[in-house]
Amino acid sequence: MQANTINFWNFKEMDESHDIAEKLGFEKISEQTIDEYKSTAVLYKHKKTGAEVMSVSNDDENKVFGIVFRTPPEDSTGIPHILEHSVFCGSRKYPLKDPFVELLKGSLHTFLNAFTSPDRTCYPVASTNVKDFYNLVDVYLDAVFFPKCIEDFQTFQQEGWHYELNNPAEDISFKGVVFNEMKGIYSQPDRILGRVSRQALFPENTYGVDSGGDPKVIPKLTFEEFKDFHRRYYHPGNAKIWFYGDDDPNERLRILSGYLDQFEASSASNESKVQPQKLFSAPKRIIEKYPAGEGEDLKKKHMVCLNWLLSEEPLGLETELALGFLDHLLLGTPASPLRRILLESGLGDAIVGGGIEDELLQPQFSVGLKGVSDSDIQKVEELVADTLKKLAEEGFAPEAVEASMNTIEFSLRENNTGSFPRGLSLMLRSIGKWIYDMDPFEPLRYEKRLQSLKARIAEEGSKAVFSPLIEKFILNNPHRVTVELQPDPDKASHDETVEKEILEKVRAGMTEEDLAELARATQELRLKQETPDPPEALRSVPSLSLQDIPRKPIHVPTEIGEINGVKVLQHDLFTNDVVYAEIVFDMSLLKKEHLQLVPLFCQSLLEMGTKDMDFVQLNQLIGRKTGGISVYPFTSSVRGKVDPCTRIIVRGKAMAGRVEDLFNLMNCILQEVQFTEQQRFKQLVCQNKARMESQLRGSGHGIAAARMDAKLNVAGWIAEQMRGISYLEFLRDLEKKVDQDWDEIASSLEGIRKSLLSRKGCLVNMTADGKNITNSTNFLAKFLDSLPSDPFSETGSWHAQLSSGNEAIVIPTQVNYVGKAANIYETGYQLSGSAYVISKHIRNTWLWDHIRVSGGAYGGFCDFDTHSGVFSYLSYRDPNLLKTLDVYDGTPSFLREIELDDDTLTKAIIGAIGYVDPYRLPNAKGYSSLLRYLRGITDEERERRREEILSTSLKDFKEFADAVEAVKNNGVVVAVASPEDVAVANGERPGFFDVKKVL
């Protein structure tokens, strides 16, 4: 049997399978072997409806299903997005409020979500358990084809939009999950820039509107339009269906035929075709505004992005591959010339634009800068054009081409998709062509095109390959749109005023009877949202039993050895000839005043040069010889210990034949990089500052969580100093200090290196086949030999925390991020595995129902950090503030009053098992084992916790109420919120928040 033959397939079975397909109503269109992924792929067409099915079979246990509809919107009311949310709110076979949440509660899914793109809506799901997988597939199919939402106006109101009025005497407001989600997105400058750029590039086709929905337009959507959209586009004839993994291909078709046979043929596929945008004859310019903070220094807050539509027709895959390489050459690494020259110019703080984007019918290219002065906008545009022109004339350095080639080829062969299932990554690659009725097989292949491109470059030279692409698609292309985004401190309040005026006008047009009816409808909707589903409806959702769950956690083989006095963890796992290595250094010897420089120290190691190489050459060498190297701090509390775990991790990967290069390069960046490039360091400071400011608007819940942790434990304080509000404040001061006191900064960076680099306290983690680990030993020993035996000690005390008062981080936003937390170990709570079950259940029931469903926030969740004891609540894109805190405070009562039948408890247990012991690729197994080692978590403890999870009882839920009572009574609150909402909150509860204005 050849290596790429799928173990359960032989020719006789293939013939039988196709006979079964015929009987089930499917016609085989094509069958092909995908050598790159050791897979056999069969494309079927359902004869009755025209639905197309791609069935990919291999030995991957992480099975994937996806159904994708082409859903091009005609306006920005957000119909595709609202429908994507709504179909999961009950279906014909599963008539409960939210089958999706039931799957979240009690499934071993490795992926469970849905997403709306500009012209399609995807519903993917994945699991390693075959019974669970088919359960998930059935719920998804019933949801998309037979949803209750098209007959249920209240679901449309809940997920889309509605007028809310709690009392006829109060003001009317807009509510809706998607409405608030999009308000959050429309508060983020980077997202505004991307949306304006795309709509300006495509003014005449479906990409010229917002499929997610514009908050100003969403309230124009009617229920009739919503229902009609489902009727038009959610038909099998408009569907592309994907299966992937090691399950039975015949069973896939049996499940599908049960649904597809209920439909007749349709013209939906013709109706949904996306028309191409015709190319402009001349460039265009757009100026828009984004909400900036009042009193903010707006001198360097402009953004400018140049955007090109590359072609009127879809490009061939060979051209797309070459453009992908060109994109990496231009922008893919810090050493890439277009990226480097833009940042080194000092005209802006950070790159904007996604480079080449080819997920839509027509590809585009976007690049620009943010943090630009008004007077420098023109200079940025000229610099982009001049740099591209120069690169077209002179070409790229051979080392840069080799580095890009190796990086992309390594990525393709490694096929490391992280926590994202491999089959889903391939589905999205295939669907990028298949959705436009092109060949779905070819995007899955890369070998032939890759070798052809390499041969072309070798024969003709890279200039002959890439310069014509720059000239044709960019320099000589008139379809260019320049978008300038200007900061406006009045925009947020103006948008709020406009919304208020619209609602006042609505109210003025209502009679007293109308207002009373609206208040009644609001209460009726809330009552429905907060009324539990009947047990018989809950039982309709298929689930696993505890007998389906392995009693032992996933085992990661670990041997602990020693080389030159340094502990080495070895994980013998099949990694397809890739060697993964982590070198871990103790950070606890650093001076306290050096702590906030650590992230920039890590970045400088990879973005500065040595005595013999500038940073461009070093970056290219890493790209040519390895699969990448990264350096970053790691901080965690350790349960039962006062001192936190604080480490610097140097992480790298390479093919087995390049391990010597990997360790040599790790040694080079750690010991030979010189901290002498003042302007380069200042660029890094500006980039980090811009990233932090962007994170404040888009990921306010993360900022709030870090801030709460910093108030509650030392590890949290350390982490917040390096990635929270404190870090942003430090960066703003440092930006000025770089010019005034560079010698002191350079000396501090060198001091950090001396404190870190030592064999004492060092730890190595290796993940690869046993043979490759053994073969790496000599190279590792040489690397360790080069380290100093003892650190240059400069110990300082880190035992600090932020003050524990409630805090409001004020930013220009239309939505809030609300957190509350406390350390429940301090109340005497002793950790049990049942805590995982209970906290996940709180998230999927109490918080989901009251924060998201009836509260209108995009997300509400809780987290229990079992290492520190911090139990936290967080909301995401939330229209509320104090109301959300009231929900958090209601959790103890919810737990005390909870009643769980056996089915509900079993689901909660199974969901917790999937959360604490998820599916991981081999390199992630090795890395997670390293983190457990650093935190002192043994295999024996993991087994004990699993037993505690599996034996969780109703009594555990009720007892946990006492633990979370501490959060209600003594919890610290941090909200990232609008100034208006914070002012209202402090008006209702005087002095509740200390206000901190950050943007």
Side-chain angles (χ1 to χ4, degrees), residues 202 204-207 270 272-277 361-362:
F202 296 96
E204 296 162 6
N205 75 354
T206 191
Y207 307 141
N270 293 327
S272 67
K273 282 193 189 307
V274 177
Q275 299 305 316
Q277 168 68 48
L361 179 65
Q362 296 163 270

Side-chain angles (χ1 to χ4, degrees), residues 79 83 149-153 156 161 220-232:
I79 302 187
L83 194 53
C149 66
I150 56 172
E151 299 157 1
D152 184 357
F153 180 55
F156 169 75
W161 77 276
K220 296 178 182 175
L221 178 63
T222 69
F223 186 48
E224 291 306 315
E225 291 168 330
F226 172 78
K227 290 193 294 184
D228 188 56
F229 196 87
H230 182 272
R231 181 192 60 76
R232 288 169 62 197

Side-chain angles (χ1 to χ4, degrees), residues 524-541:
E524 188 179 281
L525 176 60
R526 185 170 293 123
L527 180 64
K528 180 193 171 186
Q529 291 167 332
E530 296 178 0
T531 301
D533 286 303
E536 60 273 16
L538 290 170
R539 280 194 291 271
S540 70
V541 178

Side-chain angles (χ1 to χ4, degrees), residues 111 212 236 531 672:
F111 190 89
T531 301
E672 296 176 30

Side-chain angles (χ1 to χ4, degrees), residues 90 260 359 373 394 597 662 687 690 705 709 770 777 820 861:
L260 302 183
E359 299 86 17
S373 295
E394 299 178 5
L597 274 172
L662 175 65
Q687 287 171 41
D709 266 355
T777 303
K820 187 170 186 177
F861 30 89

Side-chain angles (χ1 to χ4, degrees), residues 39 47 60 158 215 289 412 512 561 598 737 859 873 935 982:
S39 300
K47 295 176 189 176
D60 192 341
Q158 170 183 295
K289 297 187 184 297
L412 286 167
E512 286 187 17
V598 165
K737 192 178 177 185
Y873 302 101
R935 288 165 167 153
V982 172

Side-chain angles (χ1 to χ4, degrees), residues 823-835:
N823 189 326
I824 63 174
Y825 287 164
E826 292 177 357
T827 69
Y829 175 75
Q830 297 288 313
L831 177 62
S832 163
S834 62

